[in-house]
Amino acid sequence: AAYNYALNLTKLGNDDAVRAVYEQIANSGQEHPNSLYNLALIHIEDDSFETARTLLQRALDADPNHQKAQYNLGLVNFREGKLKQAEEVIVSLVKSNPEYREGRFLLARIIDESGRKDEAIDLYRNLAEEEPPHPEAIYNVGLHELRNEQYDRAVTWFKRALTDRPDYTKAQYNLGLAYLRSKDDTRAEEAFGKLVLQVPTYFYAW
């Protein structure tokens, strides 16, 4: 009943009351996985990662198949730079849920951050070639091509990302950067100009 009450409060936008109800459930000794998970999300938003980790682990102890709790446990570890722990959690998630694309994308990011670039780009490419398109994976392939000075390839990937998400500011900026580094000043100016029109405060493009 308390959990349903919290859900209704969420719909009303009463964040403080929602938090209070979830904390009451968590402190009552009831191991309600969704309540623990939702309270963990609140702590993640507050950057209280240690508390969030404890709550997510409790949610998983109560429900080992809680996909979102497992994903966010990996994400918390990743944000804290605990890459080995993050990878262990997300590898387990992906093995049991191979179709969970966000889990696979997070795994690619973790591996990328760990310095295993070739392995990461293979994962990004696999996601980029699937349907529906995964703009973030497509963008990350472009970013790797840009860093490897493969400017024509980078342009192709950034354009693909923008086809699927026209307001993708990072892809638009790096499209301009790829043109600039390939000495195509005219297209670079067009790309940066479009970005500034979309987001005047995007100072990197000035």
Side-chain angles (χ1 to χ4, degrees):
Y3 175 69
N4 290 331
Y5 178 54
L7 292 179
N8 289 329
L9 289 172
T10 300
K11 294 176 183 177
L12 296 173
N14 194 336
D15 295 340
D16 290 339
V18 169
R19 181 177 189 142
V21 173
Y22 284 138
E23 286 180 343
Q24 182 180 13
I25 296 172
N27 293 331
S28 70
Q30 299 178 51
E31 297 302 285
H32 190 287
N34 287 336
S35 296
L36 294 166
Y37 167 73
N38 288 331
L39 182 57
L41 293 185
I42 293 171
H43 282 282
I44 290 173
E45 290 178 1
D46 292 342
D47 292 334
S48 301
F49 294 134
E50 196 61 42
T51 302
R53 182 183 295 105
T54 299
L55 290 164
L56 290 167
Q57 190 58 63
R58 284 175 61 188
L60 285 167
D61 289 342
D63 179 4
N65 297 316
H66 200 301
Q67 188 180 83
K68 291 182 179 179
Q70 192 170 3
Y71 172 85
N72 279 278
L73 180 59
L75 183 61
V76 164
N77 285 325
F78 176 62
R79 288 184 178 177
E80 285 197 305
K82 298 179 179 180
L83 301 180
K84 183 179 180 180
Q85 295 94 320
E87 185 173 349
E88 288 174 355
V89 171
I90 300 303
V91 164
S92 175
L93 172 63
V94 170
K95 281 183 177 179
S96 57
N97 301 276
E99 301 303 316
Y100 189 31
R101 300 177 79 209
E102 288 311 308
R104 290 162 56 207
F105 179 67
L106 179 55
L107 179 60
R109 291 178 64 199
I110 293 166
I111 290 172
D112 198 351
E113 192 69 21
S114 299
R116 289 141 56 199
K117 302 297 183 183
D118 291 343
E119 189 177 346
I121 198 168
D122 284 343
L123 292 172
Y124 288 136
R125 284 184 187 276
N126 288 339
L127 282 165
E129 298 299 341
E130 291 178 0
E131 292 293 338
H134 194 297
E136 291 87 354
I138 294 169
Y139 166 77
N140 276 280
V141 176
L143 205 57
H144 276 271
E145 298 289 11
L146 181 61
R147 289 169 178 165
N148 290 329
E149 300 182 359
Q150 300 296 320
Y151 302 125
D152 289 344
R153 294 180 188 173
V155 164
T156 298
W157 286 104
F158 292 138
K159 282 185 173 180
R160 279 189 59 188
L162 287 163
T163 297
D164 296 312
R165 186 188 295 175
D167 61 348
Y168 201 163
T169 54
K170 291 193 295 184
Q172 186 68 41
Y173 170 76
N174 281 285
L175 174 63
L177 195 60
Y179 281 133
L180 188 65
R181 291 184 178 175
S182 64
K183 310 301 183 185
D184 192 339
D185 294 343
T186 300
R187 286 193 172 94
E189 185 176 349
E190 290 174 355
F192 288 136
K194 184 175 181 179
L195 175 59
V196 170
L197 285 173
Q198 291 176 338
V199 189
T201 57
Y202 203 89
F203 64 90
Y204 290 108
W206 289 98

